[in-house]
């Protein structure tokens, strides 16, 4: 049930973008090619291709092809707030700003601006934050002048350099755990990893579980250099004592060169690794994409009222980083749902953050062999389910189904196959599926429902 990286090929993504958005074909074509033209112009104008036909590793590598290099922009500077300025270059058609992370071993740029067109001004200035989002770091900031497309006399300039430091405080970490009694797996996750995209990702996350009954029974889970795109923000183990209660603490560190609060410790309470109950921190992300690409069943609900029904659990929105039809990796784990793969509203679609899905049940006539029977509704906060098809998010009608709590302590939840209206992406609704699990009385009239995700399966259709 671990997460997958979803990738969309450039050409295929373009086709679906043009076909699937609510703006016109002409509008979408213009959006796409206006964004891509700058990149093609850069490749054709920057002398990045060496004699073997291989692209240079970085945009600022220089190849001598006989043309005269433009002068490097003079008086280039970036202040501590990220405000930049530089002088115009005779013969330049546009400029591009690059930022290289001096703390990284990579020789590739960390950030690249769009083309800054030469409009005849003698100087150019602005804010880097208007060109790209960047996190804390020690940077070599560069600006390069480029000639017009097809120019035979000049090639791009050497870069002008200046140092740019971005230092500050990071927000408090939110670390969660998941105990899956069906697989005997204990997992941890940095739930708010996206919050560090604007500051700095942790360099180390370590979570310690100490058995309350046996201090020698200690489990340590962790990871180094947290990353959304590289899928580094969780860890798990099956080396666990079942039916034990563990106290939980977490320790996190950041690069002290750029983070002012570079160490953090957290008390996460305790968890019982029961043989018949799951346990999970609210918001823990997981996704079995073999069932749905952007939805899953709940993991556990601890206070279910069998007489009144109500919430039978929540699936907390989660999808991994993916590559857009523009070839840009978008961090889209817990919060950010860039439906139609554009900026907020840029493709004519309503923008909304990633939406949790609630599984709500209503008591109905008890079936034979059941202790309780319910009808089921599956919906997000807007009364629909926002499903990802690999390219776009599509609002689908709320799902329907049933929940049967059997007298032997097991249960079965089913989502009905869609019926009725169909759309461009097939039937308009959730595919039929099912999952089983265990229900246990809590002693106060409520139940704990634990879902067995190894049992989840799509419904066979004719």
């Amino acid at each position: 049930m671990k997460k997958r990286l979803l990738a969309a090929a450039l050409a295929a993504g373009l086709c679906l973008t043009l076909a699937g958005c609510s703006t016109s074909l002409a509008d979408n074509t213009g959006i796409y090619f206006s964004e891509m033209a700058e990149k093609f112009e850069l490749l054709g104008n920057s002398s990045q291709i060496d004699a073997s036909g291989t692209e240079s590793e970085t945009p600022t590598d220089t190849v001598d092809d006989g043309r005269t290099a433009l002068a490097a922009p003079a008086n280039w500077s970036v202040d501590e707030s990220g405000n930049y300025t530089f002088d115009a270059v005779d013969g330049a058609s546009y400029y591009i700003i690059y930022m290289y992370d001096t703390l990284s071993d990579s020789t590739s740029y960390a950030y690249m601006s769009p083309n800054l067109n030469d409009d005849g001004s003698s100087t150019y200035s602005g804010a880097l934050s208007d060109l790209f989002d960047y996190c804390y770091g020690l940077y070599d900031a560069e600006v390069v002048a480029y000639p017009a497309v097809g120019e035979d006399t000049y090639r791009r300039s050497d870069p002008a350099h200046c140092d740019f430091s971005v230092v500050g405080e990071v927000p408090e970490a939110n670390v969660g755990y998941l105990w899956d009694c069906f697989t005997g797996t204990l997992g941890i996750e940095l739930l708010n990893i996206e919050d560090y995209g604007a500051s700095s990702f942790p360099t180390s996350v370590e979570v310690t579980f100490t058995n309350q009954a046996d201090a020698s029974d200690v489990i340590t889970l962790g990871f180094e250099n947290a990353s959304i795109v590289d899928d580094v923000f969780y860890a798990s183990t099956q080396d666990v004592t079942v039916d034990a209660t563990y106290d939980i603490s977490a320790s996190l560190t950041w690069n002290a060169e750029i983070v002012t609060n570079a160490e953090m410790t957290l008390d996460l309470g305790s968890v019982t690794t029961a043989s018949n109950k799951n346990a999970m921190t609210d918001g823990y992300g997981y996704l079995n994409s073999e069932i749905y690409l952007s939805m899953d069943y709940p993991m556990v609900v601890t206070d279910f009222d069998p007489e009144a029904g109500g919430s039978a659990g929540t699936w907390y929105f989660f999808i991994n980083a993916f590559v857009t039809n523009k070839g840009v990796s978008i961090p889209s784990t817990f919060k950010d749902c860039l439906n139609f793969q554009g900026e907020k509203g840029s493709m004519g679609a309503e923008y909304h953050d990633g939406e949790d899905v609630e599984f709500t049940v209503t008591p109905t006539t008890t079936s034979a062999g059941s202790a309780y029977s319910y009808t089921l509704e599956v919906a997000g906060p807007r009364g629909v389910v926002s499903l990802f098809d690999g390219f776009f998010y599509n609002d689908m009608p709320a799902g329907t189904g049933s929940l049967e709590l059997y007298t032997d302590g097991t249960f079965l939840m089913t989502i009905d196959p869609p019926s009725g209206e169909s759309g461009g992406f097939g039937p308009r609704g959730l595919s039929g599926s099912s999952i089983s699990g265990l229900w246990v009385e809590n002693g106060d009239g409520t139940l704990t429902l634990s879902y067995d995700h190894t049992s989840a399966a799509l419904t066979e259709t004719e």
Side-chain angles (χ1 to χ4, degrees):
M1 299 189 319
K2 282 303 178 188
K3 288 67 70 177
R4 295 182 176 182
L5 182 68
L6 302 176
L10 180 66
L14 171 60
C15 292
L16 284 180
T17 299
L18 300 184
C21 301
S22 57
T23 48
S24 70
L25 178 63
D27 288 343
N28 283 315
T29 304
I31 291 170
Y32 177 80
F33 285 107
S34 66
E35 293 182 5
M36 292 306 295
E38 294 182 353
K39 310 314 171 193
F40 293 135
E41 183 177 1
L42 172 63
L43 290 175
N45 229 5
S46 62
S47 299
Q48 282 179 235
I49 310 302
D50 64 22
S52 66
T54 302
E55 185 177 343
S56 302
E57 189 172 19
T58 72
T60 54
D61 290 344
T62 302
V63 178
D64 186 356
D65 60 0
R67 292 184 292 175
T68 301
L70 292 171
N75 296 318
W76 162 241
S77 66
V78 180
D79 68 20
E80 61 182 11
S81 299
N83 299 307
Y84 67 86
T85 183
F86 61 90
D87 292 346
V89 173
D90 288 341
S93 177
Y94 60 94
Y95 310 87
I96 294 180
I97 295 172
Y98 303 93
M99 287 191 6
Y100 293 82
D101 185 354
T102 61
L103 298 176
S104 171
D105 293 332
S106 174
T107 57
S108 297
Y109 59 83
Y111 305 100
M112 170 185 169
S113 76
N115 293 1
L116 306 176
N117 292 322
D118 190 298
D119 60 6
S121 300
S122 59
T123 61
Y124 295 89
S125 60
L128 292 179
S129 58
D130 292 336
L131 304 178
F132 39 65
D133 295 324
Y134 53 86
C135 59
Y136 298 165
L138 305 180
Y139 297 103
D140 172 22
E142 302 181 359
V143 61
V144 178
Y146 290 87
V149 175
E151 170 63 59
D152 294 329
T153 304
Y154 297 104
R155 57 178 170 83
R156 67 161 186 245
S157 72
D158 288 335
H161 298 263
C162 71
D163 294 329
F164 174 46
S165 299
V166 189
V167 178
E169 183 174 314
V170 294
E172 182 171 342
N174 184 6
V175 178
Y177 61 81
L178 167 62
W179 164 246
D180 184 342
C181 71
F182 299 98
T183 63
T185 302
L186 179 65
I188 62 161
E189 187 171 271
L190 181 57
L191 304 186
N192 64 331
I193 185 172
E194 283 187 340
D195 291 345
Y196 300 104
S199 53
S200 176
F201 292 100
T203 55
S204 175
V205 177
E206 183 175 282
V207 182
T208 302
F209 298 81
T210 304
N211 192 331
Q212 291 181 351
D214 179 4
S216 66
D217 180 8
V218 177
I219 301 168
T220 302
L221 289 174
F223 46 87
E224 304 291 326
N225 300 318
S227 168
I228 293 176
V229 175
D230 293 332
D231 206 23
V232 181
F233 49 89
Y234 56 86
S236 64
T237 183
Q238 293 183 318
D239 187 11
V240 177
T241 301
V242 178
D243 291 322
T245 299
Y246 289 89
D247 292 325
I248 316 169
S249 62
S251 175
L252 299 91
T253 61
W254 284 260
N255 188 330
E257 290 186 80
I258 57 175
V259 175
T260 55
N261 57 331
E263 296 184 1
M264 194 176 297
T265 57
L266 305 171
D267 181 354
L268 303 182
S270 63
V271 60
T272 299
T273 55
S275 57
N276 59 352
K277 291 183 182 180
N278 292 339
M280 188 185 80
T281 304
D282 287 350
Y284 195 101
Y286 60 88
L287 176 63
N288 177 7
S289 57
E290 293 181 0
I291 307 299
Y292 304 110
L293 285 177
S294 58
M295 194 194 81
D296 208 335
Y297 281 98
M299 185 63 68
V300 61
V301 59
T302 60
D303 57 354
F304 179 71
D305 186 334
E307 299 295 339
S311 175
T314 302
W315 176 73
Y316 297 96
F317 177 81
F318 178 88
I319 190 168
N320 239 10
F322 58 87
V323 178
T324 72
N325 57 299
K326 303 297 190 300
V328 179
S329 183
I330 300 296
S332 185
T333 44
F334 309 114
K335 297 184 298 184
D336 196 20
C337 171
L338 293 171
N339 47 337
F340 294 100
Q341 307 253 359
E343 295 180 359
K344 296 184 179 184
S346 69
M347 302 301 281
E350 177 187 1
Y351 178 91
H352 56 82
D353 286 342
E355 297 177 327
D356 299 340
V357 178
E358 192 71 29
F359 290 69
T360 305
V361 297
T362 303
T364 188
T365 303
T366 304
S367 303
S370 294
Y372 303 94
S373 298
Y374 310 88
T375 58
L376 169 70
E377 180 181 70
V378 181
R382 296 179 295 120
V384 298
V385 180
S386 187
L387 291 183
F388 185 60
D389 61 22
F391 293 93
F392 311 117
Y393 283 89
N394 304 274
D395 288 342
M396 294 296 182
T400 60
S402 64
L403 173 64
E404 298 287 343
L405 304 189
Y406 300 121
T407 55
D408 65 357
T410 64
F411 69 77
L412 178 68
M413 177 178 283
T414 59
I415 295 176
D416 300 327
S419 60
E421 181 185 359
S422 294
F425 296 92
R428 290 194 55 77
L430 295 169
S431 299
S433 64
S434 66
I435 192 171
S436 60
L438 298 173
W439 62 275
V440 178
E441 295 180 343
N442 295 326
D444 61 357
T446 65
L447 309 177
T448 293
L449 306 183
S450 300
Y451 291 78
D452 179 5
H453 282 248
T454 67
S455 72
L458 291 171
T459 302
E460 293 291 335
T461 57
E462 298 182 0

